[in-house]
């Protein structure tokens, strides 16, 4: 296998947390892959791991002092030279500094001078990761095309467990390989030349001219996927059920109301789609007929006869299977309130999708109507990625990572 990281310059920024020791392992993996690794430590990182360890592994000097070697402008030089940069681990403080463009040490000045793709791998206690300030910073970074990798849900310092654990060095290595293979632009461009169709929001099935059967979907997850796909270079069609949300930049929006209209819009775009992400909450049933005039209270409680709508995702899966094709890559969502993952697996199989994003909508802090989500991503080959509570922009990128993996496989 060609090693995408061979002879590539990787800027490895390490900020100060217990997990900084894992950066040593990542440095070793990168070195083993043939990358030229420039390590930059923050002052905090230096208190957790020593420069000497990295220097021993990499056989090259490690820098941390912005005032060293002023004439050679090392921060600009290192920023320019890098093919890819990663901050591993990224503390809450360093995430905040990067999000707001602060440049108060060698790492942050170097990254401001860098034009290569940037990956940040947050590591912190759950409360810090879930704080509104940190969430906002992660979202800001993701919206600028920065790849926010993790954190994982697992053991933390001091016996705690939860979201906030640094992703493993092997995961970071894999991501760096993918990012480097995706091209040199600041914004990741691994979907450039591809067309992504995203459905979003909750459909409305009319009962009469003023009433409808609807659901609580806000459309935020689907809009986040559309925005992320556009940032990554895709031509994006967003088939949107009624939503107040603003259309993301460069995305073509197709407004629909009912499940049937959504189906027609999706099938009209099918021919050009490389990936279809069905984030919409589609009504499973609709009134057989909508009353032409408003139902009057005085006429007593109406009996509304319902009929099933077509399952769009299942129809897409069946058509693709009948054609013996592997594209478009089909991504479904499962909104569940119990046995989420088991139900998700059943949906993945029954609808013949490639990827299913399982969403436990019974939690108050995630899922419907809120900015965050917590999902498990399953693929048809048994792959499983658990994404702890994070802004929907971050989740969107993780979903697209899996989809891009299948597209390029
Ligand atoms: N879906 C669809 N068309 C429908 C219903 C659902 O394309 N008529 C898609 C959704 O967009 C989502 C996936 O199927 O990607 C799962 O939706 P969900 O509501 O979780 O599942 P249902 O199939 O409706 O199953 P159930 O109501 O039993 O949970």
């Amino acid at each position: 296998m060609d090693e995408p990281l061979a002879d590539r310059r990787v800027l490895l920024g390490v900020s100060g947390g217990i997990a900084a020791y894992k950066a040593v392992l990542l440095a070793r993996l990168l070195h083993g892959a043939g990358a030229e690794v420039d390590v930059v430590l923050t002052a905090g990182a230096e208190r957790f791991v020593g420069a000497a360890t990295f220097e021993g592994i990499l056989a090259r000097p490690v820098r941390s002092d912005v005032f060293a070697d002023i004439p050679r402008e090392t921060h600009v030089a290192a920023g320019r030279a890098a093919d890819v940069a990663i901050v591993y681990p990224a503390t809450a403080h360093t995430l905040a500094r990067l999000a707001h463009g602060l440049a108060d040490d060698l790492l942050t000045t170097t990254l401001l001078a860098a034009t290569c793709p940037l990956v940040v791998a947050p590591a912190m206690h759950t409360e810090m990761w879930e704080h509104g300030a940190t969430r906002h910073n992660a979202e800001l970074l993701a919206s600028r095309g920065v790849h926010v990798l993790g954190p994982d849900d697992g053991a933390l310092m001091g016996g705690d467990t939860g979201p906030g654990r640094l992703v493993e060095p092997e995961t970071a290595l894999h991501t760096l390989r993918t990012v480097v293979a995706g091209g040199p632009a600041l914004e990741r461009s691994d979907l450039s030349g591809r067309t992504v169709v995203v459905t979003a929001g909750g459909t409305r099935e009319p009962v009469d001219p003023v009433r409808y059967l609807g659901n609580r979907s806000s459309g935020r997850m689907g809009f986040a996927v559309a925005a992320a796909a556009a940032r990554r270079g895709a031509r994006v069609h967003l088939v949107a059920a009624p939503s107040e949300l603003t259309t993301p930049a460069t995305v073509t929006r197709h407004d629909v109301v009912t499940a049937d209209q959504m189906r027609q819009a999706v099938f009209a775009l099918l021919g050009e789609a490389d990936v279809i992400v069905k984030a919409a909450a589609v009504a499973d049933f609709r009134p057989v007929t909508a009353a032409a005039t408003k139902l009057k209270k005085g006429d007593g409680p109406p009996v509304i006869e319902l009929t099933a709508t077509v399952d769009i995702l299942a129809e897409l899966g069946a058509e693709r299977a009948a054609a013996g094709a592997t594209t478009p890559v089909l991504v479904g969502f499962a909104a569940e309130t119990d046995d989420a993952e088991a139900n998700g697996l059943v949906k993945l199989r029954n609808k013949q999708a490639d990827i299913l994003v399982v969403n436990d909508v019974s939690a108050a802090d995630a899922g419907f109507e809120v900015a965050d989500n917590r999902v498990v991503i399953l693929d048809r080959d048994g792959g499983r990625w658990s994404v702890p509570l994070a802004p929907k922009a971050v989740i969107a990128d993780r979903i697209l990572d899996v989809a891009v993996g299948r597209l390029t496989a």
Side-chain angles (χ1 to χ4, degrees):
M1 185 191 85
D2 282 348
E3 170 54 72
L5 287 164
D7 300 324
R8 307 306 286 268
R9 286 287 281 265
V10 179
L11 182 71
L12 170 58
V14 185
S15 57
I18 294 284
Y21 76 90
K22 289 189 183 172
V24 174
L25 303 174
L26 178 59
R28 205 180 59 185
L29 290 174
L30 288 166
H31 187 63
E36 280 183 60
V37 189
D38 287 313
V39 175
V40 179
L41 304 176
T42 65
E46 281 190 301
R47 301 190 62 171
F48 286 101
V49 297
T53 313
F54 291 100
E55 290 181 338
I57 287 173
L58 301 169
R60 56 196 295 156
V62 163
R63 292 185 320 258
S64 55
D65 183 3
V66 75
F67 293 107
D69 211 359
I70 294 276
R72 287 184 50 230
E73 292 185 310
T74 49
H75 64 287
V76 182
R80 281 197 189 134
D83 292 303
V84 65
I86 181 166
V87 182
Y88 181 94
T91 58
H93 182 57
T94 291
L95 272 187
R97 292 188 300 153
L98 294 174
H100 297 282
L102 300 188
D104 56 353
D105 67 357
L106 185 63
L107 176 61
T108 48
T109 45
T110 304
L111 289 174
L112 264 191
T115 52
C116 62
L118 172 62
V119 179
V120 296
M124 63 199 74
H125 263 87
T126 304
E127 292 81 354
M128 295 171 76
W129 171 244
E130 293 184 348
H131 192 285
T134 309
R135 275 199 339 239
H136 186 66
N137 291 331
E139 204 159 29
L140 208 57
L141 287 165
S143 73
R144 289 210 300 269
V146 173
H147 188 114
V148 181
L149 180 63
D152 279 342
D153 193 336
L156 302 169
M157 204 184 73
D160 293 339
T161 55
R165 184 182 163 87
L166 183 66
V167 298
E168 293 305 316
E170 292 75 14
T171 308
L173 179 75
H174 174 74
T175 302
L176 289 170
R177 283 187 171 128
T178 315
V179 171
V180 157
L186 174 63
E187 304 259 313
R188 273 183 303 154
S189 52
D190 52 5
L191 281 168
S192 108
R194 308 287 196 172
T195 299
V196 176
V197 175
V198 183
T199 70
T203 63
R204 295 179 180 178
E205 309 302 326
V207 171
D208 70 10
V210 297
R211 303 183 181 90
Y212 58 82
L213 298 179
N215 61 67
R216 286 177 52 205
S217 170
S218 66
R220 284 195 189 145
M221 192 63 241
F223 275 63
V225 172
R231 278 200 307 273
R232 292 165 76 147
R235 203 175 308 109
V236 182
H237 293 281
L238 176 61
V239 179
S243 167
E244 302 283 300
L245 300 172
T246 328
T247 313
T250 77
V251 167
T252 309
R253 178 166 175 166
H254 308 258
D255 284 315
V256 298
V257 178
T258 65
D260 191 48
Q261 289 168 2
M262 182 168 277
R263 172 172 176 265
Q264 285 178 32
V266 169
F267 275 87
L269 294 162
L270 178 58
E272 40 181 310
D274 295 297
V275 179
I276 301 184
V277 182
K278 290 244 51 234
V282 187
D284 292 327
F285 300 99
R286 64 170 174 81
V288 174
T289 49
T293 54
K294 187 181 172 196
L295 299 177
K296 302 303 281 179
K297 187 162 56 186
D299 296 336
V303 175
I304 302 169
E305 194 189 342
L306 301 178
T307 181
T309 58
V310 173
D311 189 319
I312 307 167
L313 183 59
E315 195 181 355
L316 289 168
E319 275 207 11
R320 192 184 62 166
T326 53
T327 54
V329 172
L330 296 178
V331 184
F333 277 68
E336 303 293 341
T337 54
D338 46 71
D339 289 336
E341 220 170 307
N343 282 328
L345 270 178
V346 172
K347 280 182 193 170
L348 178 64
R349 264 196 308 274
N350 288 352
K351 300 189 190 225
Q352 305 187 71
D354 299 297
I355 298 166
L356 205 102
V357 183
V358 185
N359 215 340
D360 184 343
V361 291
S362 61
D365 58 350
F368 282 148
E369 295 166 331
V370 292
D372 287 351
N373 213 351
R374 174 192 295 117
V375 302
V376 176
I377 305 172
L378 306 170
D379 83 1
R380 66 188 301 159
D381 300 318
R384 179 186 183 280
W385 297 262
S386 167
V387 191
L389 193 71
K392 286 179 178 172
V394 174
I395 307 261
D397 267 322
R398 298 300 294 274
I399 296 167
L400 290 175
D401 290 344
V402 180
V404 168
R406 293 201 74 90
L407 258 186
T408 52

